[in-house]
Amino acid sequence: MGLDIRIDLPRTEQSDTYDVAIVGAGPSGLTAGIYCARGRRSTVVLERNMAGGQIALTELVENYPGFPDGISGFDLADRMKRQAAQFGAELREITTVASLQPHEDGCFSITTDQESIRSRAVILSPGVEAKRSGIPGEAEFIGRGVSWCATCDGALYKGRTVAVVGGGDAAVEEGLFLTKFADKVYVVHRRDELRAAKIAQERAFANPKMEFVWDSVPRRVVGDQMVEGLEVQNLKTKEVRTLPVNGVFFYIGQIPNTAFLQGVVERDEAGYILTDELMRTSLCGVFACGDARSNPLKQIAMAVGEGALAAVQAQRYLDQLECPLPAAGGQRPAWGGPTVPAASGERPGSGGAGDTPTP
Ligand code: NAP
């Protein structure tokens, strides 16, 4: 069930208008919430599931500074959530955002499956979700042997055999986690070299329960009531064989949760939100951070740094209302800085005079 944490803060202007609405309560959104609430801005954080995002589904986080023995992803998420609430951020979970709309008065409305929320600034941190392979059987066997979450479902495979698909950090780390339960874990990877961090690779290669199926892709999940096998094809030899597994965990990458932003802010071809180096999107008053932002590194440390920067910039924006005047025709302008509107078509952060932040 969703949890509403409310601590009353003075709201500026209209009592029904938040200073900042944050979409997504993963590490970046919760960090932005901590910073905005500590800045005494009325802040609401909207989350479609439970707070924590991807890390809440991660068994052990070993590379976030300050936890030399590692910390469970769930615990880390819970700490961030409590920290944001403690400073006054309102957190609304199980709330799916359907649209974001700018208004001529400078405010935004965010429509969720439950309500409409007004805010003066917006921070987008909607995160990512697991990419589907689309192979036959994947959708049919969801909940009956197909999963994207070893932390959630791993214990169901005690003494059994599973396959993980992918060669990145998620596949290798979650595959290692699955060896706590399963007798055997196949790692099906389309190349003969892993993408995962070297330390995870070393552990995986040293684990006798892990068997690597190189140069291979999944073709079909097979079974009757439950998963009974994974058909894989070797891309070099073209040989097809069926691995006898009771479970298949897909870790073949992620897609950003940004469909609701189509036509609202600029995104790259894969759907990741484009910003300048100050986390400003193409829409004045809207900032973005975390895994759904077009950036070169998807890590918790990166996400919290981006969340902090987005929050600081959002507060500067609220202090100074840095948008240029609306262009003729009433269209909300792109970022241009406090006095010098960006040249038409110029990307934020491209170095124009209008990109200089005002302290
Ligand atoms: P990822 O790094 O994008 O890896 C996806 C893997 O799936 C790659 O090995 C890729 O193969 C393979 N793949 C992609 N499409 C495929 C397809 N259609 N069929 C078969 N295989 C396919 O994704 P991820 O592992 O989910 O990680 C996402 C991000 O989160 C990464 O930046 C990662 O570093 C980060 N992360 C970090 C940690 C950590 O630091 N502890 C833990 C988890 C995730 P190729 O290698 O051939 O492209």
Coordinates of all heavy atoms in Angstrom, one line a residue, residues 63 131 133 165-171 173 189-191 193-195 216-218 251-254 291 297-299, ligand 1:
N63 N 29.4 -0.5 -4.1 CA 30.2 0.6 -4.7 C 29.7 2.0 -4.3 O 30.1 3.0 -4.9 CB 30.4 0.4 -6.2 CG 29.1 0.4 -6.9 OD1 28.0 0.5 -6.3 ND2 29.1 0.2 -8.2
K131 N 14.5 -3.8 -19.9 CA 14.2 -4.0 -21.3 C 13.6 -5.4 -21.5 O 14.2 -6.4 -20.9 CB 15.4 -3.8 -22.2 CG 15.2 -3.5 -23.6 CD 16.4 -3.6 -24.4 CE 17.3 -2.4 -24.3 NZ 18.6 -2.5 -25.1
S133 N 13.0 -8.8 -23.9 CA 13.6 -9.3 -25.0 C 12.7 -9.5 -26.2 O 13.1 -9.5 -27.4 CB 14.3 -10.7 -24.7 OG 13.3 -11.7 -24.6
V165 N 20.1 -13.9 -18.6 CA 20.5 -13.4 -19.9 C 21.1 -12.1 -19.9 O 20.5 -11.1 -19.3 CB 19.2 -13.4 -20.8 CG1 19.6 -13.0 -22.2 CG2 18.5 -14.8 -20.8
G166 N 22.3 -11.9 -20.5 CA 23.0 -10.6 -20.5 C 24.4 -10.8 -19.9 O 24.7 -11.8 -19.3
G167 N 25.2 -9.7 -20.2 CA 26.6 -9.8 -19.7 C 27.0 -8.5 -19.0 O 28.2 -8.3 -18.8
G168 N 26.1 -7.7 -18.6 CA 26.4 -6.5 -17.9 C 26.5 -6.7 -16.4 O 26.4 -7.8 -15.9
D169 N 26.6 -5.6 -15.7 CA 26.7 -5.6 -14.2 C 25.5 -6.3 -13.6 O 25.6 -7.2 -12.7 CB 26.7 -4.2 -13.6 CG 28.1 -3.6 -13.8 OD1 29.1 -4.3 -13.6 OD2 28.2 -2.4 -14.2
A170 N 24.3 -6.0 -14.1 CA 23.1 -6.6 -13.5 C 23.0 -8.1 -13.7 O 22.8 -8.8 -12.7 CB 21.8 -5.9 -14.1
A171 N 23.3 -8.6 -14.9 CA 23.3 -10.0 -15.2 C 24.3 -10.8 -14.3 O 23.9 -11.8 -13.7 CB 23.6 -10.3 -16.6
E173 N 26.0 -9.7 -11.5 CA 25.7 -9.6 -10.0 C 24.5 -10.3 -9.6 O 24.5 -11.0 -8.5 CB 25.6 -8.1 -9.6 CG 26.9 -7.4 -9.8 CD 26.8 -5.9 -9.2 OE1 25.8 -5.5 -8.7 OE2 27.8 -5.2 -9.4
H189 N 25.2 -15.1 -22.8 CA 25.6 -13.8 -23.3 C 25.9 -13.8 -24.8 O 26.5 -14.8 -25.3 CB 26.9 -13.4 -22.5 CG 27.4 -12.0 -22.9 ND1 26.5 -10.9 -23.1 CD2 28.7 -11.5 -23.0 CE1 27.3 -9.9 -23.4 NE2 28.5 -10.2 -23.3
R190 N 25.6 -12.7 -25.5 CA 25.7 -12.8 -26.9 C 27.1 -12.6 -27.5 O 27.3 -12.7 -28.7 CB 24.7 -11.7 -27.5 CG 25.1 -10.3 -27.1 CD 24.1 -9.3 -27.7 NE 24.4 -7.9 -27.3 CZ 23.6 -6.9 -27.6 NH1 22.5 -7.1 -28.3 NH2 23.9 -5.7 -27.2
R191 N 28.0 -12.2 -26.6 CA 29.4 -12.1 -27.0 C 30.3 -13.1 -26.2 O 29.7 -13.9 -25.4 CB 29.9 -10.7 -26.8 CG 29.3 -9.7 -27.7 CD 29.9 -8.3 -27.5 NE 29.7 -7.7 -26.2 CZ 30.6 -7.2 -25.5 NH1 31.9 -7.2 -25.8 NH2 30.3 -6.6 -24.3
E193 N 32.7 -12.0 -24.2 CA 33.4 -11.2 -23.2 C 32.3 -10.4 -22.5 O 31.3 -9.9 -23.1 CB 34.3 -10.2 -24.0 CG 35.3 -9.5 -23.1 CD 36.0 -8.4 -23.9 OE1 35.8 -8.3 -25.2 OE2 36.9 -7.7 -23.4
L194 N 32.4 -10.4 -21.2 CA 31.4 -9.7 -20.4 C 31.6 -8.2 -20.4 O 32.7 -7.7 -20.5 CB 31.4 -10.2 -18.9 CG 31.1 -11.7 -18.7 CD1 31.3 -12.1 -17.3 CD2 29.6 -12.0 -19.1
R195 N 30.5 -7.5 -20.2 CA 30.5 -6.0 -20.0 C 30.7 -5.6 -18.6 O 31.1 -4.5 -18.3 CB 29.2 -5.5 -20.6 CG 29.0 -4.0 -20.5 CD 27.6 -3.6 -21.0 NE 27.5 -3.8 -22.4 CZ 27.8 -2.9 -23.4 NH1 28.3 -1.8 -23.0 NH2 27.6 -3.2 -24.6
S216 N 25.8 -16.4 -27.5 CA 24.5 -17.0 -27.6 C 23.4 -16.1 -27.2 O 23.6 -15.3 -26.3 CB 24.4 -18.3 -26.8 OG 25.3 -19.3 -27.2
V217 N 22.3 -16.2 -27.9 CA 21.1 -15.4 -27.6 C 19.9 -16.3 -27.3 O 19.8 -17.4 -27.8 CB 20.7 -14.4 -28.7 CG1 21.8 -13.3 -28.9 CG2 20.5 -15.2 -30.0
P218 N 19.0 -15.8 -26.4 CA 17.8 -16.6 -26.1 C 16.9 -16.6 -27.3 O 16.7 -15.5 -28.0 CB 17.2 -15.9 -24.9 CG 17.6 -14.5 -25.1 CD 19.0 -14.5 -25.7
Y251 N 18.4 -9.7 -18.0 CA 19.1 -8.4 -17.7 C 19.8 -7.9 -18.9 O 21.0 -7.9 -19.0 CB 20.1 -8.7 -16.6 CG 19.5 -9.1 -15.3 CD1 19.5 -10.4 -14.8 CD2 18.8 -8.1 -14.5 CE1 18.9 -10.7 -13.6 CE2 18.2 -8.4 -13.3 CZ 18.2 -9.7 -12.9 OH 17.6 -10.0 -11.7
I252 N 19.0 -7.5 -19.9 CA 19.6 -7.1 -21.2 C 19.6 -5.6 -21.4 O 19.6 -5.1 -22.5 CB 18.9 -7.9 -22.4 CG1 17.4 -7.5 -22.4 CG2 19.1 -9.4 -22.3 CD1 16.8 -7.9 -23.7
G253 N 19.5 -4.9 -20.3 CA 19.6 -3.4 -20.4 C 18.3 -2.8 -19.9 O 17.4 -3.5 -19.4
Q254 N 18.2 -1.5 -20.2 CA 17.1 -0.8 -19.6 C 16.5 0.2 -20.6 O 17.2 0.6 -21.5 CB 17.6 0.0 -18.4 CG 18.2 -1.0 -17.3 CD 18.9 -0.2 -16.2 OE1 19.5 0.8 -16.5 NE2 18.9 -0.8 -15.1
D291 N 19.0 8.0 -13.8 CA 19.2 7.1 -14.9 C 18.4 7.4 -16.2 O 18.8 7.0 -17.3 CB 18.8 5.7 -14.5 CG 19.9 5.0 -13.6 OD1 20.9 5.7 -13.3 OD2 19.7 3.9 -13.2
L297 N 27.0 7.4 -17.4 CA 27.2 6.5 -16.3 C 26.0 6.2 -15.5 O 25.4 7.2 -14.9 CB 28.3 7.0 -15.4 CG 28.8 6.1 -14.3 CD1 29.5 4.8 -14.8 CD2 29.8 6.8 -13.4
K298 N 25.5 5.0 -15.4 CA 24.3 4.7 -14.6 C 24.8 4.1 -13.3 O 25.0 2.9 -13.2 CB 23.4 3.7 -15.4 CG 23.0 4.2 -16.8 CD 22.2 5.4 -16.8 CE 21.9 5.8 -18.2 NZ 21.4 7.2 -18.4
Q299 N 25.0 4.9 -12.3 CA 25.4 4.5 -11.0 C 24.7 5.3 -9.9 O 24.3 6.4 -10.2 CB 27.0 4.7 -10.9 CG 27.8 3.8 -11.8 CD 27.9 2.4 -11.2 OE1 28.1 2.2 -10.1 NE2 27.7 1.4 -12.1
Ligands
NAP1 P1 23.8 -3.1 -19.6 O1 25.1 -2.7 -18.9 O2 23.3 -2.3 -20.7 O3 24.1 -4.6 -20.1 C1 23.1 -5.3 -20.9 C2 23.7 -6.6 -21.3 O4 22.7 -7.3 -22.1 C3 24.9 -6.4 -22.2 O5 25.9 -7.4 -21.9 C4 24.4 -6.6 -23.6 O6 25.3 -7.3 -24.5 C5 23.2 -7.6 -23.4 N1 22.1 -7.4 -24.3 C6 21.5 -6.2 -24.7 N2 20.5 -6.4 -25.5 C7 20.4 -7.8 -25.7 C8 19.6 -8.6 -26.4 N3 18.6 -8.1 -27.2 N4 19.8 -9.9 -26.4 C9 20.8 -10.5 -25.6 N5 21.6 -9.7 -24.9 C10 21.4 -8.4 -24.9 O7 22.6 -3.3 -18.6 P2 22.5 -3.6 -17.1 O8 23.4 -4.7 -16.7 O9 21.0 -3.8 -16.8 O10 23.0 -2.3 -16.3 C11 22.4 -1.0 -16.6 C12 23.3 0.1 -16.0 O11 23.2 0.0 -14.6 C13 24.7 0.0 -16.4 O12 25.2 1.2 -16.6 C14 25.4 -0.7 -15.2 O13 26.7 -0.4 -15.1 C15 24.5 -0.2 -14.1 N6 24.5 -1.1 -13.0 C16 25.5 -1.0 -12.1 C17 25.6 -1.9 -11.0 C18 26.8 -1.7 -10.1 O14 27.6 -0.8 -10.2 N7 26.9 -2.6 -9.1 C19 24.7 -3.0 -10.9 C20 23.7 -3.1 -11.9 C21 23.6 -2.2 -12.9 P3 26.6 -6.5 -25.0 O15 27.5 -6.4 -23.9 O16 27.0 -7.3 -26.2 O17 26.1 -5.1 -25.4

